[in-house]
Amino acid sequence: LMWLLGKLAPDFKTIADFRKDNGGGIKNVCKTFVEVCRRLNMFEKPVVAIDGSKFKASNNKGNNFTPSKVKFHIDRVEKNIERYLELLDEADKEQANVTKIKATKERLADFRSQLKKLYEIKEQVEAHPDKQISTTDPDSRLMKTQGFTRVVSYNVQSAVDTKHHLIVAHDVTNVPDRGQLASMTKLAQEALRKKDIRVLADKGYFSQPDIKDTIDLGAEPIMPKTDTSSSEKKGIFNRSLFKYDANKDIYLCPAGNELQNRMQVFEQGKYLDVYFNHIAGR
C-alpha cells in the first residue's frame, strides 16, 4: 500500500474523518477478514487470548468529574469567595479607590459563576449511574493504567487467536476488565462459529460469576486466581502458600516447617481443624 501511494501519508484529520464517516464499512471489513480466515481453516482448534487496552480519550482529566473532585472544587471556590468578601470589607473600611473595589467585585462575580456551574455538575454526577461524568467525551471514564496512573480513557477489549495472532473480536468499553470475560468470549465464539474454544486471560478478569457464565457458553476459561489477601503487607505468609499433605494430615509452611493437626474448635455451627507448628515456641 505504501508503494502504491508513493509513500503519500494522510494527516491525522484525514484519518479521523475517514474513520468517523466509514465506521460501518471498517467493521464489515474486519468481520469479512475473520470470515475469510475461518474458511481457510485457520481456526480449527481455536485458543484466544483476551485483554484490554486503555485508549486515552479526547476528554482531559480536568474535564472529568467524580463526587470527591466536585467537592474539592466547590470547597476551593467557596474559600475564594469568602476571601474576596473579606477583601471588599477591608476596602470599604480603608476607603480604597473605586478601581480596586470594582476589580474585586468582578473577581467575586467570576467565582460565584464558577460555583453555580460546579453545583450543576454536582447534580449531574449524583444523577449519573457511574457517579462520574466527562464533559467532552461523555462515554469516557477515569481508569487506572500501568503504574496506577488514572487517565480518562476507553478500555478496548480484544480477543486474539494465539496461533496466527489475529484479532478475531473486539469491543470498546468504559469499564474495567473484570466482568468482560463472558461477553468477549461470546463475541469470539460468534466470529469463529465455534462454541468449544479455550480462552486465556490475566488475573484482572478473575470473577467467579463471570467464569461460570463463560463455562455455560461452552468455552474453557484459563486464568490465574487473583490474590486479595493483605498478608504480604502485614509481613506474614499468605494462606495460599501453605501446602496440605493428606497422608500425614499436616500443612507445610513456606519456611519448610510442618503444621500438625492438634485440636478441633466449634465455630459458627461447624468443627474446624486447628494446626500448630511442631517446633516449641512457634
Side-chain angles (χ1 to χ4, degrees):
L1 179 60
M2 292 173 65
W3 176 79
L4 287 171
L5 293 175
K7 292 189 177 181
L8 176 65
D11 63 17
F12 75 95
K13 186 68 168 59
T14 302
I15 296 173
D17 288 342
F18 181 84
R19 187 179 65 244
K20 180 183 66 176
D21 298 336
N22 299 279
I26 293 172
K27 289 181 180 179
N28 287 333
V29 169
C30 294
K31 184 177 179 181
T32 303
F33 177 75
V34 174
E35 178 66 18
V36 169
C37 293
R38 189 183 63 79
R39 290 180 181 178
L40 293 173
N41 296 322
M42 296 175 67
F43 307 127
E44 290 183 327
K45 295 181 179 179
V47 178
V48 298
I50 295 176
D51 202 0
S53 301
K54 303 298 191 305
F55 282 71
K56 188 178 181 301
S58 297
N59 192 99
N60 62 42
K61 200 171 180 179
N63 290 329
N64 174 269
F65 295 92
T66 61
S68 58
K69 187 174 181 179
V70 173
K71 184 179 182 302
F72 169 79
H73 285 298
I74 288 176
D75 291 343
R76 178 179 59 81
V77 173
E78 285 180 341
K79 286 179 181 178
N80 281 326
I81 289 175
E82 290 177 7
R83 184 165 64 88
Y84 272 86
L85 285 172
E86 291 175 358
L87 289 175
L88 275 178
D89 289 340
E90 292 175 3
D92 289 338
K93 291 177 182 178
E94 297 174 359
Q95 295 182 349
N97 60 63
V98 177
T99 303
K100 182 178 179 180
I101 293 175
K102 183 180 178 182
T104 304
K105 287 183 176 180
E106 288 176 351
R107 193 75 181 109
L108 185 59
D110 289 340
F111 281 123
R112 283 173 172 164
S113 177
Q114 291 178 29
L115 188 62
K116 182 181 177 181
K117 291 179 181 177
L118 285 169
Y119 272 107
E120 290 174 354
I121 292 174
K122 181 183 178 183
E123 291 181 3
Q124 295 174 27
V125 171
E126 291 175 348
H128 200 283
D130 297 336
K131 302 300 179 186
Q132 180 182 157
I133 64 168
S134 297
T135 56
T136 304
D137 278 342
D139 293 331
S140 61
R141 295 290 180 271
L142 192 64
M143 298 184 188
K144 287 183 179 179
T145 58
Q146 290 184 345
F148 300 100
T149 304
R150 291 166 68 85
V151 178
V152 182
S153 56
Y154 296 95
N155 189 9
V156 179
Q157 299 288 313
S158 301
V160 180
D161 165 53
T162 59
K163 184 177 181 180
H164 303 287
H165 302 168
L166 299 174
I167 298 175
V168 298
H170 66 275
D171 191 22
V172 181
T173 71
N174 57 11
V175 292
D177 292 339
R178 185 169 286 110
Q180 299 299 306
L181 183 68
S183 59
M184 285 305 301
T185 298
K186 187 175 181 180
L187 289 177
Q189 288 174 327
E190 291 173 353
L192 299 173
R193 296 190 184 180
K194 287 180 180 291
K195 293 286 187 181
D196 56 336
I197 65 174
R198 180 173 291 179
V199 181
L200 310 179
D202 60 32
K203 63 182 180 180
Y205 286 83
F206 189 88
S207 165
Q208 291 183 351
D210 207 25
I211 291 172
K212 181 183 180 302
D213 291 342
T214 303
I215 294 173
D216 290 343
L217 289 172
E220 179 189 358
I222 298 177
M223 71 193 69
K225 184 178 180 180
T226 184
D227 184 8
T228 58
S229 173
S230 60
S231 298
E232 187 175 349
K233 293 181 180 178
K234 296 177 182 178
I236 59 178
F237 291 126
N238 189 346
R239 182 184 295 181
S240 63
L241 299 175
F242 291 79
K243 306 300 180 184
Y244 180 64
D245 187 332
N247 294 327
K248 296 182 179 181
D249 191 22
I250 61 171
Y251 274 94
L252 296 174
C253 81
N257 295 324
E258 296 181 353
L259 308 178
Q260 299 178 346
N261 191 338
R262 291 296 179 88
M263 67 167 70
Q264 282 188 330
V265 295
F266 189 76
E267 288 186 5
Q268 298 180 354
K270 59 182 178 181
Y271 286 98
L272 301 174
D273 292 326
V274 178
Y275 293 80
F276 292 98
N277 197 318
H278 74 287
I279 300 176
R282 293 291 183 90

